[in-house]
Amino acid sequence: FPSHDKNLGRKMEVVLNSDKSKVSGTLQGVKDDQIILVNEVIERDGKKRVKKQVETSIAFDNIEKAIVKIEF
């Protein structure tokens, strides 16, 4: 979708068709049949906290609604 190209780098929330769950993250890329969201996950490694970036690919067929989250 051309509307996703202009939102690269912005935070988005996507509602999935399959189970109505919400996935949020930063829009990293748009391909022919899917979008790629990246979100940070904080994991514990002993006493340290480690930030990891997790990529999630979502097919256009599985998207019910996509909302751009505005940050100030």
Side-chain angles (χ1 to χ4, degrees), residues 2 18 22 28 32 38-40 43 45 49 57 67 71:
S18 56
K22 293 181 181 179
Q28 186 72 27
D32 292 336
V38 176
N39 52 345
E40 282 191 354
E43 295 181 353
D45 184 25
R49 291 186 203 170
S57 297
I67 303 167
E71 291 185 344

Side-chain angles (χ1 to χ4, degrees), residues 48-65:
K48 291 184 180 180
R49 291 186 203 170
V50 179
K51 290 184 181 180
K52 292 186 179 181
Q53 291 190 346
V54 179
E55 285 190 5
T56 307
S57 297
I58 304 171
F60 286 130
D61 297 340
N62 198 20
I63 297 175
E64 180 177 322
K65 181 170 42 172

